[in-house]
Amino acid sequence: MRTRTFIAIAATDGVYETAVRTIKKLSRITDGIKWVDPNDLHWTLHFLGELEDDEIYDVCRATEQSAAEVAPFAAIAGGVSTFGPIEHPRTLWIGLTEGEERFAQLYGSLQQRLDALGFRGDRRKYVPHLTLGRVARDVPRDELDRVAEALAELEHLVAGTFDVDEITVYASRLKREGPGYQVYGSFELAGTVD
């Protein structure tokens, strides 16, 4: 059996609460956005697609090795942005105001090990983000305009500081109400500070 698999950092602390409040605020504007279930908020590092069980085992091992060489760090989340132009976004997300370099280091360590296993990741520049929702294709123009106005107000949102001390390999199971996530393995960051 093949399972949709990804590696991520769970949303925690005040960032989680700010993300939930932001989703509630934006959800009043339109029904045309599929919001992430608050229980599933996370910072994606790698999406791997459909994997066999033995591949998932290898991915967990590679994730554990990367976690062992990267030191825990703090990051600051802030600002709501989009993939796609703000006038017609595809995805809404919270970004980082500090910690992007350390996220990139963790991403790079994982990518090297995943490359060795034959997983060719996305070659675009990695953008750490906490997905809030995905926009449907048929959202009316007036609703998109209201979303754009709300996003402009949230551009400088301060979402809070959080500790990055663990990475998790997840299975994504598609259900009628949206994806549900199952943890395959969580691994503590255990490297020493440079």
Side-chain angles (χ1 to χ4, degrees), residues 27 43 76 186:
S27 66
W43 301 85
I76 301 175
S186 292

Side-chain angles (χ1 to χ4, degrees), residues 94-149:
I94 292 177
L96 294 177
T97 58
E98 283 187 34
E100 209 166 324
E101 254 181 51
R102 298 301 302 276
F103 258 85
Q105 176 191 7
L106 183 54
Y107 173 87
S109 173
L110 277 166
Q111 188 59 62
Q112 283 183 335
R113 285 184 167 79
L114 294 171
D115 280 347
L117 292 173
F119 297 104
R120 299 291 178 239
D122 191 341
R123 296 303 179 204
R124 290 176 290 190
K125 181 177 185 282
Y126 173 64
V127 178
H129 64 280
L130 182 82
T131 299
L132 300 174
R134 292 174 180 80
V135 182
R137 294 178 193 268
D138 58 353
V139 179
R141 177 79 259 154
D142 62 321
E143 290 182 22
L144 285 175
D145 290 343
R146 289 198 300 273
V147 168
E149 287 173 22

Side-chain angles (χ1 to χ4, degrees), residues 20-105:
V20 171
R21 281 196 307 272
T22 304
I23 288 171
K24 285 181 181 171
K25 177 179 180 174
L26 292 171
S27 66
R28 295 184 197 117
I29 297 171
T30 180
D31 293 328
I33 298 174
K34 176 71 176 156
W35 300 105
V36 173
D37 183 311
N39 296 318
D40 297 333
L41 287 165
H42 61 270
W43 301 85
T44 302
L45 288 164
H46 288 277
F47 178 76
L48 300 165
E50 305 271 340
L51 302 185
E52 299 285 353
D53 288 347
D54 59 331
E55 292 176 305
I56 294 168
Y57 173 82
D58 291 341
V59 165
C60 285
R61 190 165 164 77
T63 303
E64 183 177 28
Q65 291 167 346
S66 286
E69 74 179 27
V70 176
F73 60 95
I76 301 175
V80 177
S81 192
T82 66
F83 290 130
I86 195 168
E87 303 81 26
H88 197 78
R90 295 184 316 275
T91 305
L92 310 181
W93 48 272
I94 292 177
L96 294 177
T97 58
E98 283 187 34
E100 209 166 324
E101 254 181 51
R102 298 301 302 276
F103 258 85
Q105 176 191 7

